[in-house]
Amino acid sequence: MAKDVYSLCFMCTVRCPIKVTVEGDRILWIQGNPFVAGIEGSLCPKGVSAIALLEDDQRLKYPMIRTGARGSGEFKKVTWDEALDYVAQRLKGIMETYGPQSIVLGERTNLSTHVSKTFLRAIGSPNHFTHDALCKGSNNTAFRSLFGYTDAEVGIDYANTKHIVLYGRNIFEAVEVKAVNNLLDAMEKGARLTYIDPRVTTTATKAHRYWMIRPGTDLALNYALMHVILKEGFYDKEFVDKWVVGLKELKEFLEPYTPEWAQEETGIPSREIILLAKELNEQRPHVIFHPGYRAASYTNEIYQRRAILMLNVLMGSIETKGGLFFKKGPGEVGKKAPRKLTDQEGLPKPKQVRFDKVGTPNFPLPDPNHGVPQMLAKAILEEDPYPIKALIANRFEPLLSIPDRSATLKALEKLELILTVDVNFSDIAWYSDVILPESTFLERIDCVQQANGLKPQLFLRQKAVSPRYDTKEYAVIIKELAERLGISQFFPYNTMEDLVRWQLEGTGFTIEDFSKKGFVAYTDQQIFWDRFNGLKLKTPSKKIEFKSSLLEESGFPSFPEYEPVKRPEGNEFRLVVGRCVLHTHVSTQNNPYLNELCPTNVVWINSKRAKDLNISDGQMVKITSPQGSGVLKAFVTDLIHPETVFILHGFGHESKGLKRAYGKGVADALLQANVSDTVGGSPGLHETFVTVSAEL
Amino acid sequence: MSKYMLLQDKSRCIGCLACTIACKINKGLGPGPKPVDVISLGPILRDGKILGQFVFMPCFHCEEPWCVYACPTGAMKKRPQDGIVYVDQSLCVGCKSCIYACPWGAPQFDIEKGKVVKCDYCKDRLDSGQLPACVSICISHCLKFGPANEIEDKRRRRYAIESSQFPTQ
């Protein structure tokens, strides 16, 4: 008898709700959860391919301890007890010699992140970080500077918008299933799409207006847009007068930034900029300037993101249908959220400076809940602020996601212990001393997902089938490690089910409530705050701070003068990177189906520039930066800005454990310089100039 | 033609290939054969506009299927009750005559089995009340399946709206 298990996908971090049809211990079918609006059965190609991950004999299958040199790929298979005893003994030794702060744990944010944080706090280390800052740290800071909320606490109502403006947010390739459907539905009702990107993507083909902007000049465009909007009075005066601090200062500041000025910098005709402002004036407040998904391109990133958010505020598209809204939690309806292990009384709060110096004058503003991971190599190599001796990487890939792979590799050599917990034989797993294999999302229950939104809900990842190999759930692995380190009092569970039940105590829901549809709702009604009297802003002024106390108290300006973006010279190009619909960051390149359809990256290069360099379409070319070089096939096209070359992120794996993906393509991290937006916290992933040559 | 139709709403398709993969999974296929594929056209720049299109290519399930006539063993068949053209793999000898015969390249060769595999509208799923694999997971609901004269087709309404000055909301 087949049965349906409602769960959450984890082929990417979006975590779409899914329905897994199971017979015995075999998966018959995976599709989107039919009960969730905007999903209704649909799934992306990564989610569809999950079944191949489950059955893949190239995934991590059992605990292993390294026997050969680091990076040799020589490991021995061990039991869980042997592996955990070994890790515990090594960690104890390192803590005794260097102190607990010498242990760093990095992960991609996941439902068990509170378990990792609890573990580090219990051993006395402040050094937990997530991948988030590498992706959107500056967006987080930009949101806090204006609203007092992080980017993760604000949602987007695609379904009711009349116009969406996307700055490189390639929404139809870097997909969230719900957003894709809701936006397409809005477009069927007449919504307009404006897409701005130095490269033509699938999203550009769906757009009503496409601008091939000169890379890096989005801030110039936004200064000019705001200039026009303020000059012509194309904004929501009632909303802005009520909520905004610093409108007058902004208006004065923007005086010189005319559309004619922006045309020179961005390449976008001034009349087009004015036309867009006019059009939006008709459609506001149901207008979205998309804040961005990845927000880690330039060293002025936080100001670009603030400008986008200020444009939303000027449109009045805050806390309104078809605009942005603040996500509501269970507290909004007088209910309790699921507990997290970090809520426990008596859990220590280590006071030392973090390895990345977040919270010090070096990085006063980035969110310490996520840290600044791109400082990892520097901290290890320079032992600044202190020696780092152990890295625990949970589903995190420093070698392919932190810029300057060579520096990261050099830093890894200085570590006394590298432990990887993952499902994939990732590059960092290949370089690890110990590998602990996690069960895939289809083989485990996970911690409860608190899905705040217009209607606060809870989702649960349910176990669809039993583990195919000798793997465990991450939270159980950490619990078993904690027992060996004498800190098990902070981990009040033996199984995932125990932990979920513990989390749900006080919420009014039980684990059984999730079996029918995969989720439970705290309320049936959408909650919008009163946008004229009831915005619960968390800035010091309780207003929307164009003039930001967060920035200015740390000595940063609210409105910085525009600095012209450097143009590449000679045979240089600005390296721009991005995603395609068939892959998730660095984690799916070895999936049999996804690998078949998209096995490698190529380098996009403008036709005229290619001709000057004697490069023809399909030819192998060498791409070189001060950090590294690689050889890729050229894709010669008119549909990319002449100053730019583009490659897909996620390729160039050097782990031979990934037999399908090994050696295919070039890693962007190999080429990229490690520079940061020190105000916002993101790395500047598009701040590297490369040369492209027909000589290999 | 079969009594069914598998309609692709091109304006919603984003060319993600989830359909191609779901089909392969449902048919237990490794790398190579793609009983349904999505052909990406463009993007190109024409008159200052970016144009691109994704063309969904399943089997058309012809009224007079050349693949059936070409098959020497009777493996390629048309279902009498609904006109679905399918291959009975127990009779297929892997001669590929059907692949040569089809003008649209619908039949595929599964090298692992040495037999032909093709789109049969997932008749196994249809017979148990489910939609074809590709339709069931389509990311944007751009694929619609059903009896040919009962399928929702938004194109007329969309054209009417686009060519009029009426407000649409």
Side-chain angles (χ1 to χ4, degrees):
Chain A
M1 256 292 277
K3 61 167 183 173
D4 292 331
V5 179
Y6 294 96
S7 189
L8 290 172
C9 185
F10 203 27
M11 291 299 281
C12 83
T13 306
V14 175
R15 304 184 193 100
C16 292
I18 53 172
K19 180 177 90 169
V20 187
T21 307
V22 178
E23 193 172 52
D25 202 25
R26 195 165 67 94
I27 293 181
L28 299 180
W29 201 239
I30 305 174
Q31 66 181 95
N33 185 331
F35 299 114
V36 176
I39 300 271
E40 288 135 354
S42 54
L43 199 56
C44 84
K46 283 99 68 183
V48 172
S49 303
I51 200 159
L53 169 67
L54 174 72
E55 304 295 350
D56 192 352
D57 71 351
Q58 290 182 29
R59 58 183 256 220
L60 296 170
K61 293 183 279 197
Y62 36 74
M64 291 192 277
I65 294 177
R66 180 170 62 83
T67 52
R70 269 205 189 134
S72 66
E74 289 166 34
F75 292 93
K76 64 177 177 188
K77 179 180 172 182
V78 295
T79 65
W80 276 97
D81 278 337
E82 283 173 277
L84 290 166
D85 287 347
Y86 178 74
V87 171
Q89 172 228 323
R90 297 294 307 276
L91 287 176
K92 275 184 196 162
I94 291 168
M95 286 194 280
E96 272 164 27
T97 313
Y98 303 99
Q101 72 284 355
S102 62
I103 297 168
V104 175
L105 189 154
E107 63 188 339
R108 266 183 193 274
T109 311
N110 65 90
L111 297 171
S112 297
T113 292
H114 68 116
V115 179
S116 303
K117 290 189 175 187
T118 302
F119 178 77
L120 275 197
R121 281 171 59 179
I123 62 172
S125 171
N127 289 326
H128 177 272
F129 71 86
T130 77
H131 176 87
D132 281 39
L134 292 171
C135 172
K136 61 191 187 69
S138 297
N139 218 10
N140 176 322
T141 312
F143 268 89
R144 281 184 288 123
S145 76
L146 283 154
F147 306 114
Y149 290 93
T150 69
D151 58 316
E153 293 172 306
V154 178
I156 297 172
D157 180 20
Y158 295 98
N160 296 300
T161 196
K162 290 188 178 171
H163 197 139
I164 185 165
V165 183
L166 304 167
Y167 298 82
R169 170 71 190 101
N170 186 5
I171 201 161
F172 295 129
E173 288 191 78
V175 294
E176 301 166 89
V177 175
K178 237 192 220 186
V180 166
N181 279 303
N182 287 339
L183 180 55
L184 287 170
D185 289 348
M187 288 167 72
E188 284 197 21
K189 289 189 284 176
R192 304 260 298 167
L193 195 164
T194 293
Y195 185 66
I196 303 156
D197 193 324
R199 179 180 71 110
V200 169
T201 63
T202 297
T203 308
T205 69
K206 301 283 183 195
H208 300 91
R209 176 190 280 109
Y210 166 68
W211 287 342
M212 187 180 281
I213 192 170
R214 186 160 86 83
T217 64
D218 305 50
L219 184 59
L221 169 64
N222 282 346
Y223 277 177
L225 265 174
M226 289 196 285
H227 173 102
V228 177
I229 288 166
L230 290 172
K231 191 173 152 206
E232 303 294 334
F234 290 164
Y235 63 99
D236 187 334
K237 292 192 184 62
E238 197 183 356
F239 183 82
V240 169
D241 287 349
K242 169 76 188 179
W243 293 111
V244 168
V245 176
L247 183 76
K248 192 171 142 271
E249 290 87 339
L250 176 68
K251 200 173 173 183
E252 281 165 17
F253 166 78
L254 288 172
E255 201 52 44
Y257 298 112
T258 62
E260 293 70 30
W261 164 82
Q263 175 172 329
E264 283 297 301
E265 181 70 2
T266 64
I268 299 167
S270 57
R271 63 174 190 286
E272 295 275 328
I273 297 172
I274 296 165
L275 277 177
L276 175 62
K278 268 189 187 156
E279 189 184 327
L280 293 166
N281 187 43
E282 299 295 315
Q283 294 148 331
R284 66 181 170 79
H286 311 291
V287 161
I288 297 162
F289 282 87
H290 198 293
Y293 211 49
R294 174 162 63 90
S297 300
Y298 299 99
T299 50
N300 68 357
E301 194 72 31
I302 184 173
Y303 292 107
Q304 158 61 0
R305 299 298 152 185
R306 269 174 57 81
I308 292 175
L309 295 172
M310 288 192 276
L311 280 160
N312 282 295
V313 175
L314 292 174
M315 295 294 105
S317 63
I318 305 294
E319 201 64 8
T320 184
K321 278 197 178 287
L324 309 187
F325 59 84
F326 296 99
K327 293 182 182 173
K328 315 302 184 303
E332 199 71 27
V333 288
K335 303 270 177 65
K336 279 199 173 143
R339 287 200 283 179
K340 289 184 171 168
L341 292 180
T342 41
D343 300 338
Q344 295 174 100
E345 272 180 37
L347 184 63
K349 280 188 184 160
K351 290 279 185 285
Q352 300 101 312
V353 169
R354 293 174 54 94
F355 79 99
D356 51 19
K357 299 192 183 171
V358 168
T360 75
N362 288 48
F363 281 112
L365 300 184
D367 188 346
N369 283 317
H370 298 287
V372 179
Q374 67 269 30
M375 299 311 290
L376 184 65
K378 187 171 185 288
I380 296 170
L381 289 168
E382 297 176 10
E383 303 199 345
D384 177 18
Y386 40 69
I388 300 292
K389 290 295 167 186
L391 171 68
I392 303 173
N394 174 30
R395 295 183 64 254
F396 175 66
E397 177 55 277
L399 289 164
L400 290 173
S401 48
I402 298 179
D404 198 353
R405 180 189 174 100
S406 310
T408 307
L409 261 180
K410 213 167 136 198
L412 292 182
E413 285 169 20
K414 272 193 83 170
L415 295 175
E416 292 188 7
L417 178 69
I418 307 171
L419 164 65
T420 290
V421 186
D422 207 330
V423 295
N424 291 312
F425 213 138
S426 58
D427 282 20
I428 186 65
W430 188 255
Y431 279 93
S432 288
D433 305 310
V434 184
I435 299 174
L436 300 178
E438 191 187 17
S439 303
T440 66
F441 69 91
L442 293 164
E443 302 163 312
R444 67 176 198 247
I445 308 180
D446 223 320
C447 293
V448 182
Q449 183 192 26
Q450 185 182 332
N452 292 351
L454 289 172
K455 288 186 241 181
Q457 295 174 319
L458 302 179
F459 285 81
L460 189 63
R461 177 170 292 132
Q462 302 265 20
K463 181 173 172 174
V465 291
S466 61
R468 292 331 195 210
Y469 301 106
D470 187 13
T471 58
K472 291 185 188 227
E473 306 94 333
Y474 177 75
V476 170
I477 296 171
I478 292 297
K479 151 86 180 175
E480 294 183 0
L481 194 52
E483 278 170 357
R484 288 163 168 85
L485 294 171
I487 48 169
S488 64
Q489 70 272 27
F490 297 112
F491 301 86
Y493 57 92
N494 288 312
T495 64
M496 283 311 296
E497 222 169 275
D498 296 342
L499 178 52
V500 169
R501 287 189 196 283
W502 179 88
Q503 285 196 283
L504 288 173
E505 278 172 24
T507 62
F509 299 111
T510 66
I511 203 168
E512 289 73 22
D513 294 337
F514 292 84
S515 57
K516 230 183 209 169
K517 292 182 175 179
F519 64 96
V520 294
Y522 283 92
T523 171
D524 297 337
Q525 303 295 317
Q526 289 195 342
I527 307 166
F528 277 102
W529 291 331
D530 179 339
R531 55 198 292 277
F532 289 105
N533 297 305
L535 289 192
K536 299 170 193 174
L537 297 164
K538 293 207 291 197
T539 51
S541 62
K542 308 284 180 221
K543 301 272 187 183
I544 298 171
E545 296 192 358
F546 282 14
K547 187 170 157 44
S548 164
S549 50
L550 187 78
L551 291 173
E552 295 189 2
E553 278 167 22
S554 289
F556 303 117
S558 295
F559 312 116
E561 294 294 327
Y562 185 80
E563 285 180 32
V565 169
K566 192 178 163 233
R567 292 174 196 264
E569 289 165 15
N571 62 345
E572 280 180 344
F573 295 84
R574 187 181 285 276
L575 177 66
V576 167
V577 300
R579 308 288 186 271
C580 71
V581 70
L582 286 163
H583 287 297
T584 302
H585 303 299
V586 302
S587 65
T588 56
Q589 286 72 22
N590 204 53
N591 181 290
Y593 294 110
L594 301 170
N595 182 272
E596 178 193 356
L597 297 177
C598 183
T600 184
N601 52 0
V602 297
V603 54
W604 290 49
I605 182 168
N606 177 274
S607 310
K608 287 193 191 77
R609 297 286 311 274
K611 200 175 167 204
D612 292 344
L613 294 168
N614 284 324
I615 290 168
S616 49
D617 188 40
Q619 181 181 344
M620 299 307 284
V621 294
K622 189 172 185 183
I623 176 166
T624 307
S625 81
Q627 285 66 241
S629 73
V631 173
L632 280 179
K633 191 181 271 188
F635 171 56
V636 176
T637 172
D638 292 335
L639 301 178
I640 186 164
H641 194 281
E643 290 186 15
T644 311
V645 288
F646 171 89
I647 63 173
L648 281 175
H649 174 66
F651 290 93
H653 287 274
E654 291 185 15
S655 163
K656 291 180 185 161
L658 303 168
K659 296 191 178 102
R660 302 174 199 99
Y662 168 72
K664 301 254 179 81
V666 171
D668 48 6
L670 185 70
L671 303 167
Q672 285 159 337
N674 192 342
V675 293
S676 293
D677 164 9
T678 52
V679 184
S682 289
L685 300 176
H686 294 174
E687 294 283 17
T688 302
F689 284 167
V690 296
T691 57
V692 179
S693 159
E695 307 285 319
L696 300 186
Chain B
M1 304 287 272
S2 86
K3 71 174 195 182
Y4 298 113
M5 188 159 75
L6 208 176
L7 181 71
Q8 179 207 17
D9 180 349
K10 289 196 181 63
S11 78
R12 282 188 81 97
C13 183
I14 60 168
C16 77
L17 299 178
C19 51
T20 301
I21 299 170
C23 171
K24 288 172 69 102
I25 288 171
N26 188 52
K27 296 242 180 297
L29 300 173
K34 294 177 199 164
V36 301
D37 203 357
V38 178
I39 308 303
S40 177
L41 301 179
I44 55 165
L45 185 66
R46 186 182 287 161
D47 304 329
K49 290 215 77 167
I50 300 294
L51 302 177
Q53 204 160 75
F54 300 105
V55 183
F56 180 71
M57 294 286 289
C59 167
F60 298 138
H61 299 272
C62 308
E63 184 63 28
E64 299 279 337
W66 294 2
C67 58
V68 172
Y69 295 136
C71 178
T73 66
M76 193 65 83
K77 303 179 196 204
K78 191 168 129 179
R79 273 214 317 199
Q81 68 268 36
D82 53 16
I84 287 177
V85 178
Y86 70 101
V87 59
D88 176 350
Q89 284 197 335
S90 69
L91 298 176
C92 176
V93 294
C95 74
K96 308 180 193 70
S97 296
C98 56
I99 298 177
Y100 302 126
C102 175
W104 300 285
Q108 301 280 301
F109 195 67
D110 180 358
I111 208 153
E112 283 172 27
K113 283 191 188 155
K115 291 176 189 294
V116 160
V117 60
K118 73 175 283 295
C119 164
D120 54 10
Y121 283 162
C122 297
K123 60 183 175 53
D124 52 325
R125 290 176 58 94
L126 286 188
D127 294 346
S128 63
Q130 295 166 294
L131 288 166
C134 55
V135 180
S136 77
I137 51 73
C138 174
I139 191 169
S140 62
H141 303 288
C142 80
L143 295 178
K144 307 280 181 198
F145 181 84
N149 54 2
E150 290 176 21
I151 289 190
E152 182 194 11
D153 187 348
K154 292 180 177 168
R155 286 175 297 183
R156 281 182 174 172
R157 184 175 165 72
R158 200 178 284 145
Y159 178 74
I161 291 170
E162 278 169 11
S163 58
S164 79
Q165 299 297 313
F166 275 71
T168 52
Q169 304 247 1

